[in-house]
Amino acid sequence: MLAICKREFIQSFKGIKSIIVIAIFLITAYYSADFSNLFLSLSNDFTSEEKEVIHTIGISILSMFFGMLFVMGLSHDTVNREIHERTIRFLVTRTSRASIIFGKFLGIALFWFVCLLTSFVIISIFVRDFDFIIFFQSTSLAVYYSAFTVLMSVLLPKPSLTMFLSIVIGLAFPIFNGWVTLTSNGWVSWLKYVLPFYYTEDQNFEFLVILLLAGVMIYIALLVFRRREC
């Protein structure tokens, strides 16, 4: 499992798409800290709660509105690529199917953890403060997106299909999630409890539920993968 995790983690850094995404996170972190200090110096109208989150608002928005698109865009074929190229046969003969799923999931999640940690460290250098709650909330979203990506890659056999859906779902997910969270329609409002945004509204430990939801998705992915012929 650790070898698969390491391989997936290193693989996530390769390619022009990875470089672009990492650059976007680092640039967003830099300007979030830089401009937030400027805003605070020019205005005293911010409340204490707004002052606590203004430094990280850029990264938070990036994680919520583009996180799914970034994660699926880079790792949409993490499992079905192996099946399509038949390299999965070499893996299943050397390790368990659970190790494959958990290894790939942890490798993807670790990549985004490093990206977020680096971004928050950059912000903390400028503002001399590290917001652990918002960091963990953003990380929990990345874990959720990683689990969803692995699940889709197990459910859908063709990499070309997951590549297409990575764009569609990546763009539609934050819009749908935001609507479900805010709507008063009883027919759909219950969906907010299985989607992550609802658990990031307040600065508390509700984000732990997001990790639980991610665990459920990985468990489903494992059940499906165990029944699939490779």
Side-chain angles (χ1 to χ4, degrees), residues 9 21 47 50 88-89 92 105 116 121 130 136-139 146 153 158 164 167-168 171-172 184 188:
F9 175 72
V21 169
T47 65
E50 290 173 337
I88 195 70
R89 295 183 179 181
V92 295
F105 163 67
L116 288 169
V121 168
F130 194 100
F136 287 128
Q137 285 180 336
S138 300
T139 301
S146 301
S153 191
K158 295 183 178 180
F164 170 74
I167 299 174
V168 176
L171 294 174
S184 57
V188 296

Side-chain angles (χ1 to χ4, degrees), residues 21-220:
V21 169
I22 294 172
I24 290 173
F25 267 89
L26 297 182
I27 292 172
T28 302
Y30 173 79
Y31 283 105
S32 291
D34 195 25
F35 281 109
S36 63
N37 283 333
L38 177 62
F39 291 149
L40 290 174
S41 64
L42 293 177
S43 176
N44 295 319
D45 297 331
F46 294 101
T47 65
S48 58
E49 292 182 353
E50 290 173 337
K51 289 180 179 179
E52 290 179 359
V53 302
I54 191 172
H55 299 302
T56 56
I57 192 169
I59 294 296
S60 299
I61 292 175
L62 196 64
S63 299
M64 294 181 69
F65 290 95
F66 298 101
M68 181 68 83
L69 180 63
F70 288 160
V71 176
M72 290 196 71
L74 292 182
S75 306
H76 66 89
D77 58 352
T78 181
V79 177
N80 57 23
R81 181 187 69 250
E82 303 275 8
I83 298 175
H84 182 72
E85 296 177 354
R86 299 186 182 278
T87 55
I88 195 70
R89 295 183 179 181
F90 298 100
L91 293 177
V92 295
T93 57
R94 289 177 170 83
T95 186
S96 66
R97 298 193 177 212
S99 295
I100 295 173
I101 294 298
F102 286 120
K104 286 184 172 292
F105 163 67
L106 291 175
I108 296 170
L110 182 60
F111 168 78
W112 292 104
F113 174 82
V114 171
C115 289
L116 288 169
L117 179 61
T118 304
S119 300
F120 274 79
V121 168
I122 291 175
I123 293 173
S124 67
I125 291 174
F126 282 87
V127 303
R128 298 182 180 180
D129 184 35
F130 194 100
D131 196 320
F132 285 96
I133 291 294
I134 296 182
F135 169 70
F136 287 128
Q137 285 180 336
S138 300
T139 301
S140 67
L141 288 175
V143 171
Y144 182 97
Y145 300 150
S146 301
F148 183 84
T149 300
V150 172
L151 177 60
M152 289 295 100
S153 191
V154 170
L155 292 176
L156 303 174
K158 295 183 178 180
S160 58
L161 181 57
T162 50
M163 181 176 64
F164 170 74
L165 287 178
S166 68
I167 299 174
V168 176
I169 296 176
L171 294 174
F173 182 83
I175 299 173
F176 177 74
N177 199 337
W179 174 67
V180 168
T181 303
L182 297 175
T183 186
S184 57
N185 188 326
W187 292 98
V188 296
S189 61
W190 63 271
L191 289 173
K192 66 185 179 182
Y193 298 111
V194 296
L195 296 173
F197 288 3
Y198 175 76
Y199 302 103
T200 60
E201 291 181 347
D202 301 315
Q203 293 193 54
N204 53 35
F205 290 94
E206 287 184 357
F207 67 85
L208 293 174
V209 179
I210 302 176
L211 301 180
L212 178 62
L213 295 174
V216 172
M217 288 190 287
I218 289 299
Y219 179 70
I220 295 173

